[in-house]
Amino acid sequence: MAEPILGGPATVVETACPLDCPDACSLAVTVQHGKVITIDGSHKNPVTDGYICAKVRKFGERVYGPDRLLHPAVRTGRKGDGRFKRASWDEALNLVVERMQRAKADAGAESILPYSYGGSNGLLTQDNLDAQLWRRFGTSRLARTVCAAPTGAANMALYGKMPSVTYQDYPDARLIILWGVNPSASGIHLVPYVRQAQKQGAKLVVIDPRTTPLAKSADVHLAVKSGTDVAVALAIHRYLFTNGHADTAFLDKHTTGADALRERAEPWTIEQAADVAGVEASALARVAELYAQSSPALVRCGWGLERNRNGGNAAMAVLALPAVAGKFGVRGGGYSMSNSASWNIDRTWIGTPEPDTRIVNMNHLGRALLEYEDPPVNVLFVYNCNPAATVPDQRRIIRGLEREDLFTVVFEQVMTDTAVYADVLLPATTFLEGYDFAKAYGPINLDLGKAVVDAVGEARSNADVFGELCARLGVLSPNEPTGELDLMLEVLNRLPEEIGEPLRAGDLPTPPFGSAPVQFVDVFPNTSDRKVHLFPAALEAEAPMGLYRFQPDPASERYPLALISPASDRTISSTLGELPRRDVKLMMHPTDAAARGLADDDAVRVFNELGEVHCILDIDAAIRPGTVSLPKGLWRRSLRSHTTGTALVPDTLTDLGGGACFNDARVQVASLPTA
Ligand code: SF4
């Protein structure tokens, strides 16, 4: 954080956090002499309730930190050595335009790959003028699947992304199952609602390979092996069906495919699933019994369970539970998943339909850069994203980024692991320097954030830069907005009046069904027939072994340990990963450490056939045996090996949705003799 400047008036400016976190907090930022001094939560959003995470409280360290990109620059050194010379915006954009036009003339516009993810989830910063540019220029399209693709596919197929139970209704539940989610690290505003429910007598079940803070006070903690959630959920389905707890009236009236689901669940006895998942059968039986007997019962489906070969089917099986058990129709009952689609905002401001161009799965970036032909990727344009740190198969990606014949543009706030490989660097504003619409995906909340300080250095907003590129590339239509302010007003005008008006007045809008809808009372599935599709044919065809099937663990004798990379309390995905940190630690169970002769704080190498990571060992019984954990969102600079956990992750895809299999990394760990 910037040093407080003594003297002179300070003002507190309200804005909102659009970062990739479920909560979309309302913020109160103290500004003095045009600089951010402190960032805290405001009370505008009742869920924020005046406090925020420690991550964003430190966001000033990014805004004014030594890694901030202050002006455009052009590479002068070898790819990746970080040597650049300053350029004007005009020079930099001319170069980008010239290389994009040349690429289109030489090999077609599909040889250009735009690459972005959720560095900001705001409506201005993502899928706005950038989408306009790529569609009109005819570039390759990106399947943004690094996160939430399997759960999104399941939620869409089953319920058409029906709005789900929001934080405010958790205290009404008598049973809460937190499945593959750790709100103490990400989406922290859920925690007090869970605690309140517990105080009011609710039972808590946590399903996670680690003893998370909430797992410590859970009535049952199932520390399942990564990738086995589908088996556990199917065993609960089987229990419900065979013990007369399936709600046949609800199934008949509101669902299709229940018989097929029941058939696929049939092999999964409690004992069989417990054996596969590595948990006590009695504990799993208790969870099934608690779920059958409790009402309201709420399943919070997180993103931890999707990051493996069975992730899509796991999400299907977990999200199908309330339909089979008849847990809807009561406040505090049903399921919680992403509420990002709840506002039903169709981005009409993107005036161009998607072209029928090549789709590149973002998890295959390394392959795309090194292997794709017809056409090869000749221009890569990265923004809102740091794939060199976050995307599977890091070594292959770095080899791709090192290609001398690849022209890479990185439009970023700070010098990321990816930015050092750029040919042209374009400095981007942070959310504290511009407008954006912050849309929550935990609670149902939408807010308009505004600049609290001027742009730092020569940084420009996404709207400004993509608008300018549209103009320079000749794909801008007359009277279209190009700058951030115009675009913000355009979006406001295009939002439905009941959303746009309160935002214009500085208030929070409420969706037509209320901000805390009861499923199957206030909201219903957005599927074609308004029913829950428990066995959708398209997904049965997509999954390699069919729906509700289990693919065995990829561990081998050489690489027996499952490496997971859960969210931490340090970064939002990889945002803020540039901030200095003490040694990165690998979490390992005492029995695994003893078997390898390892001691606490030993320097270790974590390795498999894809790569190697060097870090410090943290022996802790809070992780299940056979599983080790590195934090998500690490940057290469934070590790002695200059590699992160993604160097050990295969670029295989999940069974549904084409997602990343982060938790399918299987590794060995040994001491590092030359530490
Ligand atoms: S990252 Fe999440 S918890 Fe932190 S300020 Fe933003 S919305 Fe709130």
Side-chain angles (χ1 to χ4, degrees):
M1 174 59 64
E3 280 294 305
I5 303 161
L6 295 177
T11 49
V12 176
V13 189
E14 286 264 350
T15 188
C17 177
L19 300 176
D20 190 358
C21 164
D23 294 2
C25 290
S26 57
L27 302 179
V29 183
T30 304
V31 177
Q32 197 175 30
H33 298 295
K35 278 193 126 184
V36 172
I37 303 297
T38 59
I39 307 170
D40 216 327
S42 84
H43 291 273
K44 177 181 177 186
N45 178 346
V47 173
T48 305
D49 196 24
Y51 72 95
I52 58 167
C53 63
K55 310 174 200 182
V56 167
R57 278 209 302 273
K58 287 195 295 192
F59 204 84
E61 293 179 32
R62 162 165 281 214
V63 176
Y64 304 115
D67 293 294
R68 187 73 198 267
L69 298 178
L70 297 172
H71 48 72
V74 176
R75 176 171 70 92
T76 56
R78 254 185 327 103
K79 290 232 176 185
D81 74 5
R83 280 184 293 153
F84 296 91
K85 75 165 194 273
R86 184 172 180 164
S88 69
W89 269 103
D90 208 39
E91 288 166 339
L93 290 178
N94 275 344
L95 186 54
V96 173
V97 164
E98 192 256 313
R99 293 302 296 257
M100 283 179 66
Q101 284 169 331
R102 195 198 305 173
K104 187 171 186 171
D106 288 352
E110 285 179 321
S111 65
I112 300 166
L113 178 63
Y115 199 93
S116 67
Y117 196 67
S120 165
N121 278 345
L123 298 182
L124 295 187
T125 313
Q126 189 185 77
D127 270 343
N128 205 307
L129 288 177
D130 51 334
Q132 200 90 283
L133 171 64
W134 310 131
R135 289 180 187 191
R136 288 179 182 169
F137 206 67
T139 65
S140 284
R141 290 177 290 162
L142 186 73
R144 286 210 197 102
T145 49
V146 76
C147 179
T151 44
N155 194 8
M156 177 58 88
L158 281 163
Y159 298 102
K161 295 197 173 175
M162 169 172 66
S164 65
V165 178
T166 63
Y167 294 3
Q168 300 93 311
D169 282 346
Y170 275 63
D172 285 287
R174 298 291 82 206
L175 170 70
I176 297 171
I177 302 181
L178 298 178
W179 203 317
V181 62
N182 176 18
S184 303
S186 180
I188 59 168
H189 293 84
L190 180 57
V191 175
Y193 293 99
V194 174
R195 294 282 187 218
Q196 191 184 334
Q198 285 182 288
K199 265 192 208 135
Q200 292 172 197
K203 298 273 191 256
L204 177 66
V205 171
V206 174
I207 302 180
D208 196 299
R210 296 173 311 151
T211 309
T212 59
L214 281 168
K216 286 182 190 155
S217 67
D219 297 277
V220 188
H221 171 210
L222 292 181
V224 297
K225 281 184 198 167
S226 172
T228 64
D229 305 82
V230 62
V232 171
L234 288 174
I236 301 174
H237 279 293
R238 184 182 186 279
Y239 177 90
L240 295 169
F241 280 120
T242 55
N243 292 286
H245 299 300
D247 186 335
T248 47
F250 182 89
L251 289 172
D252 288 346
K253 187 170 178 200
H254 292 291
T255 73
T256 62
D259 289 341
L261 164 58
R262 178 178 186 157
E263 201 179 294
R264 293 282 161 93
E266 187 51 35
W268 292 103
T269 61
I270 293 283
E271 291 71 24
Q272 171 71 9
D275 184 48
V276 164
V279 296
E280 292 291 329
S282 57
L284 176 51
R286 176 137 191 258
V287 173
E289 179 69 15
L290 271 174
Y291 190 62
Q293 301 297 343
S294 306
S295 182
L298 173 55
V299 178
R300 173 24 161 177
C301 178
W303 291 269
L305 59 84
E306 72 167 22
R307 306 184 195 284
N308 64 81
R309 68 218 172 270
N310 296 316
N313 272 315
M316 285 293 294
V318 169
L319 290 171
L321 283 169
V324 170
K327 299 299 182 188
F328 293 117
V330 54
R331 191 167 292 283
Y335 74 89
S336 259
M337 189 64 257
S338 171
N339 269 319
S340 66
S342 299
W343 290 95
N344 204 15
I345 294 171
D346 49 357
R347 297 174 182 250
T348 56
W349 47 86
I350 310 176
T352 312
E354 276 210 50
D356 189 21
T357 52
R358 170 172 70 181
I359 295 177
V360 175
N361 185 315
M362 71 187 305
N363 297 311
H364 284 163
L365 176 60
R367 286 179 199 279
L369 295 179
L370 291 175
E371 297 168 17
Y372 282 20
E373 293 174 352
D374 199 24
V377 175
N378 292 332
V379 173
L380 176 71
F381 195 121
V382 181
Y383 59 106
N384 295 354
C385 189
N386 181 11
T390 56
V391 173
D393 205 352
Q394 185 173 66
R395 197 157 64 177
R396 201 191 300 253
I397 291 172
I398 300 297
R399 286 210 319 272
L401 291 172
E402 284 171 341
R403 259 179 55 201
E404 269 304 325
D405 61 340
L406 175 72
F407 183 75
T408 302
V409 183
V410 179
F411 180 27
E412 248 303 349
Q413 299 166 357
V414 291
M415 185 65 87
T416 63
D417 287 342
T418 309
V420 294
Y421 289 93
D423 291 278
V424 172
L425 282 170
L426 303 176
T429 48
T430 68
F431 73 92
L432 295 172
E433 297 150 62
Y435 290 103
D436 214 341
F437 296 83
K439 186 155 58 81
Y441 56 92
I444 300 175
N445 179 63
L446 180 65
D447 200 357
L448 175 59
K450 56 177 182 272
V452 301
V453 290
D454 290 338
V456 172
E458 295 180 17
R460 291 187 186 176
S461 69
N462 284 26
D464 289 339
V465 171
F466 287 114
E468 178 71 22
L469 284 172
C470 281
R472 287 179 185 235
L473 285 162
V475 296
L476 192 69
S477 299
N479 303 321
E480 277 186 332
T482 53
E484 188 183 68
L485 180 62
D486 286 348
L487 194 66
M488 184 273 286
L489 293 171
E490 171 82 5
V491 170
L492 265 184
N493 287 337
R494 285 179 180 262
L495 288 172
E497 203 178 319
E498 61 276 15
I499 300 176
E501 270 312 305
L503 289 174
R504 223 176 252 115
D507 298 327
L508 298 178
T510 308
F513 45 76
S515 51
V518 176
Q519 294 174 316
F520 282 86
V521 173
D522 303 310
V523 290
F524 292 86
N526 292 313
T527 49
S528 50
D529 54 4
R530 311 293 275 172
K531 290 190 173 187
V532 186
H533 296 171
L534 294 170
F535 206 88
L539 269 53
E540 164 78 348
E542 180 186 341
M545 294 172 66
L547 269 177
Y548 305 112
R549 299 286 201 198
F550 175 76
Q551 300 182 70
D553 196 286
S556 63
E557 218 168 287
R558 285 182 77 186
Y559 305 117
L561 298 168
L563 171 67
I564 60 172
S565 47
S568 80
D569 57 2
R570 302 290 297 263
T571 60
I572 305 129
S573 193
S574 70
T575 297
L576 298 175
E578 77 274 17
L579 301 187
R581 61 188 300 154
R582 290 174 54 195
D583 280 323
V584 170
K585 296 203 167 181
L586 176 86
M587 195 184 202
M588 178 183 258
H589 191 273
T591 56
D592 290 324
R596 290 163 178 79
L598 298 171
D600 225 10
D601 288 329
D602 274 0
V604 290
R605 42 191 292 262
V606 191
F607 59 98
N608 62 18
E609 69 282 355
L610 293 173
E612 178 157 333
V613 174
H614 298 170
C615 57
I616 300 297
L617 191 65
D618 171 27
I619 300 176
D620 193 334
I623 190 158
R624 60 163 292 120
T627 299
V628 291
S629 174
L630 275 171
K632 177 184 173 187
L634 294 171
W635 286 26
R636 297 170 72 209
R637 67 173 67 173
S638 298
L639 292 112
R640 299 165 190 209
S641 51
H642 213 54
T643 52
T644 69
T646 52
L648 306 167
V649 175
D651 68 353
T652 49
L653 300 178
T654 55
D655 47 358
L656 298 173
C661 291
F662 291 109
N663 294 348
D664 275 349
R666 295 294 177 269
V667 300
Q668 185 53 280
V669 179
S671 88
L672 185 63
T674 55

